Amino acid sequence: MAGNVQQAAAVPGNRARNTPARVAAWSAALGVGLIAAIVLTPMFWLMYGGFYTAALFLCGLVAVPAGHAGRRRGKKLGGRDRGLALLALLTGWLLMLGALVLVLAYAGLVAGLGVLGDSAN
């Protein structure tokens, strides 16, 4: 490819043309999926916040024991992939912490609205 561009540029009066970049189908699908995730995640959270919070907690609940099992297996294999298992542990605990924060935010919102409703009467 680079040889063709150099040959075309070497011929007098012949300029190399700009051609559009070729994009693999899977790359385009990943890009569209990323854009959809960025747009749809807040919408999903606003519409179905309880399901979203439960999904966060359940994913964390699965990741923590899987991380512990991976660390134990990595120890038997001489330390192989123990870092990835540690990442699973940390991610699981962060997901469960995030779910707890969301539950507390919901409770605070409901309590705050209750106080506002009482003070309006």
Side-chain angles (χ1 to χ4, degrees):
M1 178 85 176
N4 292 341
V5 173
Q6 289 173 351
Q7 288 173 355
V11 177
N14 192 5
R15 292 184 291 177
R17 292 185 295 174
N18 287 335
T19 57
R22 295 181 187 189
V23 177
W26 65 269
S27 179
L30 284 176
V32 170
L34 179 62
I35 292 169
I38 290 170
V39 171
L40 295 177
T41 297
M43 291 173 55
F44 180 69
W45 183 77
L46 288 172
M47 292 187 303
Y48 307 106
F51 294 124
Y52 188 73
T53 305
L56 279 177
F57 185 77
L58 291 175
C59 287
L61 202 59
V62 169
V64 170
H68 281 294
R71 297 276 293 172
R72 195 172 6 211
R73 182 178 173 145
K75 191 181 234 183
K76 289 178 184 177
L77 294 174
R80 189 170 153 210
D81 292 334
R82 289 190 78 199
L84 192 60
L86 180 62
L87 182 65
L89 271 170
L90 293 174
T91 303
W93 284 113
L94 286 174
L95 286 173
M96 289 195 296
L97 179 68
L100 176 67
V101 167
L102 284 174
V103 167
L104 292 175
Y106 294 149
L109 179 65
V110 170
L113 288 175
V115 168
L116 284 176
D118 285 344
S119 66
N121 291 329

Tab-separated table of all heavy atoms in Angstrom, residues 5 8 22 27 30 33 35 37 39 47 52 57 60 67 70 89 101-102 104 106 118:
chain	number	residue	atom	x	y	z
A	5	VAL	N	1.548	4.364	-3.064
A	5	VAL	CA	1.452	5.801	-2.842
A	5	VAL	C	2.759	6.468	-3.241
A	5	VAL	O	2.767	7.513	-3.892
A	5	VAL	CB	1.087	6.111	-1.376
A	5	VAL	CG1	1.165	7.602	-1.105
A	5	VAL	CG2	-0.288	5.586	-1.054
A	8	ALA	N	3.006	6.487	-7.041
A	8	ALA	CA	2.104	7.472	-7.635
A	8	ALA	C	2.647	8.875	-7.431
A	8	ALA	O	2.520	9.737	-8.297
A	8	ALA	CB	0.711	7.336	-7.030
A	22	ARG	N	-11.109	2.399	5.300
A	22	ARG	CA	-11.967	1.220	5.357
A	22	ARG	C	-12.193	0.868	6.821
A	22	ARG	O	-11.265	0.820	7.606
A	22	ARG	CB	-11.312	0.057	4.638
A	22	ARG	CG	-11.156	0.318	3.184
A	22	ARG	CD	-10.537	-0.858	2.501
A	22	ARG	NE	-10.264	-0.487	1.119
A	22	ARG	CZ	-9.878	-1.329	0.216
A	22	ARG	NH1	-9.702	-2.594	0.530
A	22	ARG	NH2	-9.651	-0.934	-1.006
A	27	SER	N	-15.987	-3.185	13.894
A	27	SER	CA	-15.560	-1.921	14.476
A	27	SER	C	-16.699	-0.896	14.445
A	27	SER	O	-16.931	-0.170	15.413
A	27	SER	CB	-14.342	-1.387	13.723
A	27	SER	OG	-13.932	-0.154	14.243
A	30	LEU	N	-19.248	-1.900	17.093
A	30	LEU	CA	-18.815	-1.527	18.436
A	30	LEU	C	-18.994	-0.030	18.677
A	30	LEU	O	-19.393	0.386	19.762
A	30	LEU	CB	-17.352	-1.918	18.653
A	30	LEU	CG	-17.082	-3.396	18.881
A	30	LEU	CD1	-15.589	-3.649	18.978
A	30	LEU	CD2	-17.777	-3.890	20.125
A	33	GLY	N	-22.635	0.596	19.166
A	33	GLY	CA	-23.019	0.077	20.484
A	33	GLY	C	-22.567	0.982	21.614
A	33	GLY	O	-23.290	1.186	22.590
A	35	ILE	N	-22.064	4.271	21.437
A	35	ILE	CA	-22.912	5.458	21.414
A	35	ILE	C	-24.278	5.143	22.009
A	35	ILE	O	-24.824	5.916	22.807
A	35	ILE	CB	-23.030	6.000	19.977
A	35	ILE	CG1	-21.674	6.551	19.523
A	35	ILE	CG2	-24.110	7.067	19.880
A	35	ILE	CD1	-21.594	6.877	18.058
A	37	ALA	N	-24.972	2.819	24.210
A	37	ALA	CA	-24.824	2.622	25.651
A	37	ALA	C	-24.721	3.947	26.378
A	37	ALA	O	-25.297	4.126	27.459
A	37	ALA	CB	-23.594	1.765	25.932
A	39	VAL	N	-26.016	6.771	25.465
A	39	VAL	CA	-27.317	7.450	25.432
A	39	VAL	C	-28.357	6.693	26.253
A	39	VAL	O	-29.132	7.301	26.998
A	39	VAL	CB	-27.796	7.611	23.977
A	39	VAL	CG1	-29.216	8.115	23.909
A	39	VAL	CG2	-26.868	8.554	23.232
A	47	MET	N	-35.756	5.520	33.936
A	47	MET	CA	-37.038	4.843	33.787
A	47	MET	C	-37.164	3.637	34.719
A	47	MET	O	-38.227	3.382	35.261
A	47	MET	CB	-37.245	4.397	32.340
A	47	MET	CG	-37.420	5.549	31.383
A	47	MET	SD	-37.860	5.068	29.701
A	47	MET	CE	-36.545	3.986	29.250
A	52	TYR	N	-32.047	-1.280	37.518
A	52	TYR	CA	-30.657	-0.929	37.260
A	52	TYR	C	-29.812	-1.137	38.522
A	52	TYR	O	-28.735	-1.716	38.466
A	52	TYR	CB	-30.589	0.517	36.794
A	52	TYR	CG	-29.241	0.967	36.320
A	52	TYR	CD1	-28.738	0.534	35.109
A	52	TYR	CD2	-28.474	1.837	37.074
A	52	TYR	CE1	-27.508	0.950	34.657
A	52	TYR	CE2	-27.236	2.263	36.635
A	52	TYR	CZ	-26.766	1.814	35.421
A	52	TYR	OH	-25.543	2.223	34.988
A	57	PHE	N	-26.043	-4.541	41.751
A	57	PHE	CA	-25.751	-5.325	42.943
A	57	PHE	C	-25.515	-6.791	42.602
A	57	PHE	O	-24.576	-7.416	43.100
A	57	PHE	CB	-26.881	-5.194	43.965
A	57	PHE	CG	-26.581	-5.885	45.254
A	57	PHE	CD1	-25.717	-5.317	46.170
A	57	PHE	CD2	-27.130	-7.117	45.540
A	57	PHE	CE1	-25.417	-5.955	47.360
A	57	PHE	CE2	-26.847	-7.764	46.720
A	57	PHE	CZ	-25.976	-7.175	47.636
A	60	GLY	N	-22.163	-7.346	40.980
A	60	GLY	CA	-21.126	-7.290	42.002
A	60	GLY	C	-21.121	-8.537	42.860
A	60	GLY	O	-20.059	-9.054	43.236
A	67	GLY	N	-13.962	-13.539	41.782
A	67	GLY	CA	-12.631	-12.983	41.989
A	67	GLY	C	-11.850	-13.762	43.037
A	67	GLY	O	-10.662	-14.017	42.871
A	70	GLY	N	-10.831	-16.994	41.504
A	70	GLY	CA	-9.739	-16.760	40.563
A	70	GLY	C	-8.411	-16.517	41.258
A	70	GLY	O	-7.367	-16.983	40.798
A	89	LEU	N	-12.441	-8.649	41.834
A	89	LEU	CA	-12.809	-8.371	43.229
A	89	LEU	C	-13.108	-6.893	43.450
A	89	LEU	O	-14.142	-6.528	44.024
A	89	LEU	CB	-11.668	-8.785	44.162
A	89	LEU	CG	-11.665	-10.201	44.668
A	89	LEU	CD1	-10.361	-10.501	45.367
A	89	LEU	CD2	-12.822	-10.411	45.595
A	101	VAL	N	-25.071	3.144	47.346
A	101	VAL	CA	-25.187	4.607	47.237
A	101	VAL	C	-26.476	4.987	46.517
A	101	VAL	O	-27.180	5.930	46.913
A	101	VAL	CB	-23.946	5.199	46.535
A	101	VAL	CG1	-24.160	6.639	46.123
A	101	VAL	CG2	-22.729	5.078	47.435
A	102	LEU	N	-26.828	4.243	45.457
A	102	LEU	CA	-28.072	4.539	44.750
A	102	LEU	C	-29.299	4.301	45.627
A	102	LEU	O	-30.253	5.083	45.603
A	102	LEU	CB	-28.167	3.699	43.476
A	102	LEU	CG	-27.304	4.163	42.323
A	102	LEU	CD1	-27.375	3.179	41.172
A	102	LEU	CD2	-27.721	5.538	41.855
A	104	LEU	N	-29.385	4.532	48.883
A	104	LEU	CA	-29.416	5.653	49.843
A	104	LEU	C	-29.885	6.943	49.167
A	104	LEU	O	-30.599	7.741	49.788
A	104	LEU	CB	-28.034	5.845	50.468
A	104	LEU	CG	-27.572	4.725	51.395
A	104	LEU	CD1	-26.144	4.980	51.860
A	104	LEU	CD2	-28.512	4.589	52.584
A	106	TYR	N	-32.006	7.085	46.617
A	106	TYR	CA	-33.453	6.945	46.475
A	106	TYR	C	-34.151	7.234	47.793
A	106	TYR	O	-35.160	7.954	47.843
A	106	TYR	CB	-33.832	5.535	46.022
A	106	TYR	CG	-33.386	5.151	44.650
A	106	TYR	CD1	-33.089	3.833	44.358
A	106	TYR	CD2	-33.258	6.078	43.624
A	106	TYR	CE1	-32.675	3.441	43.097
A	106	TYR	CE2	-32.850	5.708	42.363
A	106	TYR	CZ	-32.562	4.387	42.112
A	106	TYR	OH	-32.154	4.005	40.867
A	118	ASP	N	-44.832	17.734	53.573
A	118	ASP	CA	-45.362	18.119	54.888
A	118	ASP	C	-45.284	19.616	55.105
A	118	ASP	O	-46.166	20.206	55.722
A	118	ASP	CB	-44.607	17.397	55.993
A	118	ASP	CG	-45.004	15.938	56.107
A	118	ASP	OD1	-46.063	15.561	55.558
A	118	ASP	OD2	-44.233	15.174	56.743
